[in-house]
Amino acid sequence: RTAFLFSGQGSQRAGAGAGLYAVEPVFKAAVDEACRHLDPLLGRSLAEIMFAEPGSEPARLLDHTRYTQPALFALHLGLHRLLEHHG
């Protein structure tokens, strides 16, 4: 059996997953799905924060738990769906 272990808070990095988001439709769809649900609760675009240029103001928001946890959830959901897609 296979198990996946995804890292927790402290592993967040601005731009993490941006390359996959640009080229993997399954990953992008999963992240977009999570963001559709989370953005209204956060009051701003989670994808903008996740894929912000490192060091920028939106990227700095990733260090706030309010955005860290949802961003990691969206990233991990995308990774899981991509791995699932590839069997």
Side-chain angles (χ1 to χ4, degrees):
R1 297 179 61 169
T2 302
F4 299 102
L5 176 64
F6 293 112
S7 54
Q9 190 160 345
S11 65
Q12 71 274 9
R13 299 288 177 268
L20 286 174
Y21 189 83
V23 300
E24 291 287 351
V26 171
F27 179 84
K28 182 181 186 315
V31 171
D32 288 347
E33 177 186 355
C35 289
R36 272 193 305 280
H37 294 282
L38 295 167
D39 287 357
L41 301 172
L42 297 172
R44 64 179 308 151
S45 168
L46 183 58
E48 177 186 306
I49 294 168
M50 291 174 64
F51 305 130
E53 185 68 31
S56 67
E57 186 59 35
R60 284 191 278 280
L61 292 174
L62 263 181
D63 291 329
H64 297 269
T65 302
R66 173 182 174 86
Y67 301 107
T68 305
Q69 294 296 328
L72 287 172
F73 173 79
L75 177 70
H76 294 161
L77 177 66
L79 290 171
H80 175 75
R81 295 261 176 91
L82 183 60
L83 290 169
E84 188 176 58
H85 173 74
H86 287 291

